C-alpha cells in the first residue's frame, strides 16, 4: 500500500471519491488555490450566475413589480422548504430563509423567552460565537434577566475541544431558565453537540432550546423535528454556498407555530401583508418570522446552493466530511505535531463537524503566510489555524497540499 502521507495516496482517495464530480459544478477560476475556508464562505456554484441573471433580467427587468405576485412573495418559504427537506429533516412550512443569522437569533430567542414568561434566564456558552453571546445577553437584559454562562471563566483557558454534553447543560439548569442557546457545531473546535440528548435535558427542566446550526447546515445531516428541538437558525453562505451575505434561515417546530411571537413584527410577517391597516396581526406558521422585504436575487443564490446538496445527499456529504477531517488529522499528527501543533478538534469523527482547528502559538502569522502562498484557511482567536473542509469542493489532494505547506512553513521557522 502507498504510504499514507504520500500525494499518490491523496490522489487515490480523490479517485475513489463518489462526490468528486461536484467540484466541477463550481466556478474554480484558479485551480492552484488550495481553498480551505469553505466553512466560512463557500465556493460559487456554476449555476448561480444564471439563476441570478434570470431573476435580474427576466423577473426584475421584464416583469418588474408584477414579480412579487408572480413568485417573489413565496420564495423565502419555497427555498426554506427545499433547504429544510434537504438539510434539516424538516417538513413543508417549517423553515423560512430571511435576514441574517444574528437577526434571526434575536427573533427566535425573543420568541422562546416570551413562551416562558415567568422565567428570565438564558443559558449559553462563554465560548459561543460572539453574535450569539451578544444576542443572548441583550435578550436576557431586555426581560430583566441574565445569562448563565457555561464554560470556563478564565479567558486564558484554551477553548474546549470536546462537545458540550447533556450533563453539562443539565447542571446549569434551574427553574428560572427559559431558553438554552447552543451551537450544533462549535465554530472553533468543530465539536458536535448531541442535539437529541441536550434537548431532552432542557425540556426535562421546562425550558426551550434554540440551536445555532451555522456550521452544521450543509455539513452534518440534521433531523431537527426528530431531535425534539424547539427552534433553530443558521446561515447560508458557508456549506450551503449561497454567497456573501446570503440570507439565513429559521426553523421552528410546528408545535410552536401558534404560540410563537416575533419580537421584530414587520409587515412581511403580517397575516395580510397588503392590508396595511390596524395593528400587527401575525401570519400563521413560520411566515410570522418574516420582518421586511426579502431579496429575490439573494434567494436565487441560496436555492442554487441548496440544490447541489440536495442532489449529493447529506449522508454522502457527511461520509466524505468525516473522511476529509480524519485524513487532515492524520497528516497533522504525522507532519505537524513535531512542531508543537495540537489538534483542537475532537478525534472521534462522530463528535466533530467539517473543519479541523490546529492550535499553534504562531497561528495568526502562519495563516497569513499560508494565504500568501495560495493556501487559504482562516485564523481563529487566540491560536487556531482553522482548516475548513467543505465536502462538495475540497479534494483530498487539497488537504495534502495545504498541510504540506503548513509543514514547510513550520520547518522554515525552525
Ligand atoms: C456560529 C455562528 N453563528 C452566527 C454567525 C453570524 O451570522 P450572520 O453574520 O449571518 O449574522 C456566524 C458567522 O459566521 C457563526 O459562525
Amino acid at each position: 500500500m502507498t504510504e499514507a502521507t504520500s500525494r499518490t495516496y491523496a490522489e487515490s482517495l480523490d479517485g475513489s471519491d463518489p462526490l468528486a464530480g461536484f467540484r466541477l459544478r463550481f466556478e474554480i477560476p484558479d485551480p492552484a488555490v488550495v481553498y480551505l475556508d469553505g466553512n466560512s464562505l463557500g465556493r460559487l456554484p456554476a449555476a448561480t450566475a444564471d439563476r441570478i441573471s434570470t431573476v435580474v433580467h427576466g423577473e426584475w427587468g421584464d416583469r418588474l413589480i408584477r414579480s412579487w405576485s408572480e413568485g417573489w412573495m413565496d420564495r423565502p418559504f419555497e427555498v426554506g422548504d427545499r433547504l429544510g427537506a434537504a438539510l434539516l429533516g424538516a417538513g413543508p412550512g417549517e423553515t423560512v430563509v430571511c435576514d441574517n443569522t444574528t437577526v434571526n437569533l434575536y427573533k427566535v430567542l425573543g420568541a422562546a423567552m416570551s413562551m416562558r414568561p415567568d422565567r428570565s434566564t438564558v443559558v449559553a456558552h462563554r465560548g459561543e460565537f460572539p453574535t450569539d453571546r451578544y444576542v443572548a445577553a441583550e435578550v436576557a437584559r431586555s426581560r430583566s434577566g441574565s445569562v448563565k454562562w457555561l464554560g470556563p471563566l478564565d479567558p486564558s483557558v484554551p477553548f474546549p475541544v470536546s462537545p458540550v454534553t447533556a450533563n453539562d447543560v443539565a447542571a446549569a439548569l434551574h427553574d428560572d431558565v427559559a431558553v438554552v442557546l447552543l451551537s450544533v457545531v462549535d465554530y472553533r473546535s468543530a465539536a458536535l453537540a448531541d442535539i437529541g440528548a441536550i434537548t431532552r435535558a432542557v425540556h426535562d427542566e421546562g425550558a426551550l432550546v434554540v440551536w445555532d446550526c451555522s456550521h452544521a447546515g450543509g455539513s452534518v445531516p440534521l433531523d431537527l423535528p426528530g431531535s425534539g428541538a424547539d427552534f433553530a437558525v443558521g446561515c447560508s453562505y458557508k456549506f450551503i454556498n449561497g454567497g456573501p451575505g446570503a440570507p439565513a434561515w429559521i426553523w421552528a417546530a410546528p408545535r410552536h407555530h401558534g404560540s410563537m411571537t416575533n419580537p421584530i413584527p414587520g409587515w412581511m410577517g403580517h397575516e395580510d401583508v397588503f392590508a396595511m391597516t390596524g395593528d400587527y396581526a401575525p401570519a400563521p406558521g413560520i411566515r410570522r418570522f418574516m420582518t421586511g422585504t426579502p431579496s429575490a436575487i439573494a434567494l436565487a443564490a441560496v436555492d442554487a446552493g441548496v440544490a447541489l446538496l440536495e442532489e449529493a445527499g447529506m449522508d454522502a456529504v457527511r461520509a466524505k466530511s468525516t473522511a476529509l477531517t480524519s485524513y487532515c488529522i492524520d497528516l497533522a499528527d504525522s507532519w505537524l505535531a513535531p512542531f508543537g501543533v495540537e489538534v483542537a478538534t475532537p478525534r472521534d469523527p462522530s463528535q466533530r463537524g467539517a473543519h479541523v482547528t490546529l492550535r499553534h502559538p504562531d497561528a495568526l502569522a502562519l495563516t497569513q503566510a499560508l494565504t500568501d502562498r495560495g493556501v487559504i484557511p482562516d485564523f481563529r482567536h487566540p491560536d487556531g489555524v482553522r482548516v475548513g473542509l467543505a465536502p462538495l469542493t475540497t479534494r483530498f489532494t487539497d488537504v495534502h497540499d495545504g498541510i504540506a505547506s503548513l509543514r514547510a512553513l513550520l520547518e522554515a521557522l525552525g
Side-chain angles (χ1 to χ4, degrees):
M1 186 182 136
T2 322
E3 196 196 337
T5 54
S6 70
R7 196 167 199 284
T8 316
Y9 180 63
E11 285 165 3
S12 75
L13 293 175
D14 283 335
S16 56
D17 169 15
L19 297 185
F22 277 91
R23 189 177 155 88
L24 306 173
R25 313 272 297 276
F26 287 80
E27 285 196 13
I28 303 190
D30 183 356
V33 166
V34 176
Y35 193 56
L36 301 175
D37 216 353
N39 61 324
S40 206
L41 176 63
R43 280 191 182 270
L44 167 62
T48 300
D50 279 350
R51 296 288 302 274
I52 287 178
S53 175
T54 302
V55 176
V56 170
H57 296 294
E59 297 176 7
W60 176 16
D62 181 26
R63 300 302 296 162
L64 292 163
I65 203 161
R66 290 168 290 187
S67 289
W68 282 110
S69 53
E70 291 171 359
W72 286 352
M73 287 298 279
D74 292 328
R75 214 141 294 165
F77 314 103
E78 286 170 5
V79 181
D81 281 352
R82 190 170 198 181
L83 186 154
L87 312 183
L88 314 179
E94 297 177 16
T95 313
V96 60
V97 178
C98 61
D99 300 315
N100 57 41
T101 313
T102 306
V103 171
N104 288 343
L105 266 173
Y106 182 81
K107 289 188 285 186
V108 296
L109 261 186
M113 287 295 271
S114 298
M115 291 166 66
R116 292 291 180 273
D118 50 345
R119 299 175 175 217
S120 62
T121 303
V122 178
V123 170
H125 201 284
R126 269 198 194 83
E128 192 56 83
F129 190 80
T131 228
D132 301 57
R133 291 188 280 108
Y134 307 155
V135 170
E138 173 54 23
V139 168
R141 190 203 58 77
S142 68
R143 312 286 159 124
S144 307
S146 61
V147 182
K148 182 166 171 66
W149 297 105
L150 300 170
L153 245 184
D154 181 353
S156 66
V157 173
F159 57 85
V161 169
S162 48
V164 178
T165 66
N167 284 344
D168 298 335
V169 175
L173 294 172
H174 51 74
D175 62 9
D176 190 54
V177 175
V179 196
V180 175
L181 165 65
L182 287 171
S183 273
V184 176
V185 172
D186 183 86
Y187 80 105
R188 287 184 294 193
S189 70
L192 174 61
D194 183 339
I195 306 185
I198 293 175
T199 298
R200 278 192 295 281
V202 173
H203 288 174
D204 284 350
E205 290 296 329
L208 297 167
V209 63
V210 172
W211 288 102
D212 182 340
C213 304
S214 291
H215 284 273
S219 70
V220 177
L222 298 168
D223 177 10
L224 294 175
S227 66
D230 296 294
F231 298 100
V233 298
C235 67
S236 307
Y237 46 74
K238 302 180 192 293
F239 299 99
I240 301 175
N241 303 299
W249 53 267
I250 298 177
W251 172 85
R255 65 182 177 279
H256 297 318
H257 285 194
S259 50
M260 59 200 192
T261 52
N262 183 348
I264 313 178
W267 72 305
M268 285 280 161
H270 191 278
E271 65 176 0
D272 185 354
V273 175
F274 293 104
M276 302 206 165
T277 53
D279 292 335
Y280 177 77
I286 198 72
R287 188 178 277 268
R288 70 182 55 178
F289 274 128
M290 289 290 288
T291 52
T293 309
S295 164
I297 299 170
L299 280 160
V302 175
D303 200 42
V306 171
L308 289 168
L309 289 161
E310 188 180 57
E311 191 182 326
M314 283 309 300
D315 288 340
V317 166
R318 175 68 174 155
K320 179 166 177 192
S321 166
T322 52
L324 284 167
T325 50
S326 296
Y327 179 57
C328 181
I329 290 172
D330 288 348
L331 289 181
D333 286 344
S334 301
W335 285 347
L336 309 180
F339 296 98
V341 171
E342 281 173 39
V343 174
T345 290
R347 285 175 176 277
D348 176 351
S350 70
Q351 293 195 350
R352 63 174 184 255
H355 63 267
V356 173
T357 294
L358 302 169
R359 190 178 267 150
H360 187 275
D362 296 325
L364 180 56
L366 289 166
T367 305
Q368 282 162 349
L370 283 170
T371 305
D372 291 345
R373 291 174 168 217
V375 175
I376 308 179
D378 62 12
F379 167 74
R380 277 296 169 264
H381 188 79
D383 57 1
V385 178
R386 193 175 66 169
V387 178
L389 302 170
L392 292 188
T393 55
T394 311
R395 296 168 300 191
F396 290 88
T397 40
D398 292 325
V399 182
H400 179 277
D401 297 350
I403 302 299
S405 293
L406 184 50
R407 179 183 61 168
L409 285 171
L410 289 161
E411 275 167 357
L413 275 178

